[in-house]
Amino acid sequence: MNRASGKIIYRDHYQNHLIEIIEKGDSRSLYFGGNVLQSTMSISAPHHLVLSYTRFMMATLLFINPPRRVLLIGVGAGSLIRFIHHHFSSCVIDGVDFSPDIIKLARGYFNLPNSRNISLHCGDGHEFLAQLNAETYDLILIDAFDHRGMALSVYCSDFFEHCLHHLEDNGIVSLNLWSGNEAKMDRVQTDLKRYFGSCITLPVPERGNVICLAGKSRNMTAIMEQDYTELSRMSAEFNINFRQIVKVFIKQNLGYRQRIARFFS
C-alpha cells in the first residue's frame, strides 16, 4: 500500500507505532504506520459513514431501528459513535478502546460528540464486558484491531460468551472481520455459531473486510425479505445503500438456483 497523501495535521508515535492524521479535501483520516487507513471523516458532514465497512456494520438497522443501548468495542476515530448519536440522540452508547491516545485524538480531531448519553472507557473490551453486572445492550459493535490485526482478547470464544450474556434477547452483535487472516476468520465464525442461534456474513465489496451479524434467536437470514421500497427510504435517511447490502447477502449466501427461484417467486 502506498503512503497516504495529503496535509499532515498530527503526527506522533504510540507504542513504537506511527500515528498520523491527514487531511485531503473534505476528508480527515487517521492512519497507522504511514499507510494503514484506520478511519475517515467528512469534515462537512462528520456523521456520515465514509468507509464502506462501517456502513455494512450498520446493516443492523434493518432489524433494530431505533437502537436504545449500544456497546462499541474499538472506538477508533469515532465514526460509528458520531453516526449513531446523530440519528438516535437518545441512544445510550458505551465506547471502549484500549488506547487513551486514540480516544484523545477522537475527541480533539474527529468531532466526537460531548453528550451525557455517551460514555467512553479506556481499557480492554474483554475485561470491560467480563466486569459488567446486569447491563444489557440491543446492539454490540465490535471493531477492535491492533498492529497484528483482529485483537486476540476480543475475537475469541470467551469474549463471545460475555457478549451473549449482555445482549438483549432480540439484540444483534455486528463484527468487523479481516479476510486477510482466513484461518482466524473461520475460527471466529465457528465460535460465534457455538453461542448464537443465527449468523450471516457480508463481504464488503472491493475491501478485505467481512461483516458478521449474529443474534441469539433472531433469524438473520430475514435480511433478504426486506421490502425494497423501505430499503430505498432507509438508504436516503441514513446515507447507506441498504439495497446493496441485501444483494451482497443474497449473492453470498444463496446458490444460483435459489436466487433464480427467489426472482420468480
Side-chain angles (χ1 to χ4, degrees):
M1 187 181 295
N2 295 328
R3 195 183 190 290
S5 62
K7 179 183 178 182
I8 298 174
I9 63 173
Y10 176 91
R11 174 184 282 167
D12 206 342
H13 288 79
Y14 171 69
Q15 293 185 347
N16 296 321
H17 297 284
L18 176 65
I19 297 176
E20 293 177 311
I21 298 175
I22 298 177
E23 280 190 6
K24 188 174 183 179
D26 185 53
S27 296
R28 178 176 295 174
S29 301
L30 177 64
Y31 282 89
F32 294 160
N35 63 356
V36 179
L37 177 62
Q38 198 280 337
S39 185
T40 296
M41 178 185 75
S42 166
I43 297 173
S44 61
H47 61 281
H48 284 178
L49 293 175
V50 177
L51 299 184
S52 56
Y53 88 87
T54 59
R55 297 194 293 271
F56 269 63
M57 288 189 75
M58 292 311 302
T60 54
L61 291 177
L62 295 172
F63 302 99
I64 299 174
N65 186 3
R68 299 183 304 273
R69 285 184 57 85
V70 174
L71 172 62
L72 175 62
I73 305 294
V75 172
S79 298
L80 291 168
I81 290 179
R82 290 193 304 271
F83 173 86
I84 294 170
H85 182 69
H86 174 84
H87 290 287
F88 310 103
S89 58
S90 62
C91 179
V92 175
I93 303 171
D94 282 320
V96 184
D97 200 286
F98 188 75
S99 168
D101 297 275
I102 296 301
I103 292 176
K104 289 179 182 178
L105 294 181
R107 284 175 167 154
Y109 291 88
F110 289 95
N111 292 29
L112 201 64
N114 182 17
S115 168
R116 64 181 181 180
N117 287 335
I118 299 174
S119 300
L120 297 183
H121 311 268
C122 184
D124 180 82
H126 191 153
E127 293 179 2
F128 177 85
L129 263 185
Q131 294 170 4
L132 278 182
N133 293 319
E135 295 91 337
T136 58
Y137 301 90
D138 52 3
L139 180 56
I140 299 177
L141 301 166
I142 302 171
D143 186 21
F145 284 71
D146 55 28
H147 64 282
R148 296 167 296 186
M150 292 182 282
L152 294 176
S153 67
V154 172
Y155 293 86
C156 67
S157 179
D158 289 345
F159 176 77
F160 298 148
E161 185 173 10
H162 290 308
C163 287
L164 185 70
H165 292 158
H166 293 284
L167 188 69
E168 293 282 352
D169 287 342
N170 287 320
I172 296 177
V173 178
S174 178
L175 306 94
N176 177 27
L177 309 181
W178 181 249
S179 62
N181 189 338
E182 291 187 14
K184 185 170 185 179
M185 199 171 74
D186 289 344
R187 179 181 59 75
V188 166
Q189 293 181 73
T190 298
D191 287 342
L192 281 171
K193 291 174 182 178
R194 289 177 55 196
Y195 295 104
F196 295 92
S198 181
C199 299
I200 63 171
T201 55
L202 298 168
V204 182
E206 300 180 2
R207 288 187 63 93
N209 306 84
V210 176
I211 305 306
C212 186
L213 304 184
K216 279 185 177 181
S217 57
R218 185 187 290 275
N219 181 11
M220 297 288 99
T221 61
I223 189 173
M224 66 182 176
E225 305 302 331
Q226 299 288 335
D227 178 78
Y228 266 34
T229 300
E230 178 63 9
L231 290 176
S232 297
R233 185 199 67 78
M234 290 181 62
S235 297
E237 179 181 359
F238 297 110
N239 199 34
I240 296 174
N241 190 343
F242 287 105
R243 293 183 65 172
Q244 179 197 33
I245 292 173
V246 172
K247 288 178 180 178
V248 167
F249 168 79
I250 293 172
K251 181 179 180 180
Q252 173 70 17
N253 295 274
L254 298 185
Y256 174 76
R257 291 184 179 180
Q258 289 175 300
R259 295 199 299 270
I260 293 297
R262 184 176 183 274
F263 178 80
F264 287 105
S265 63

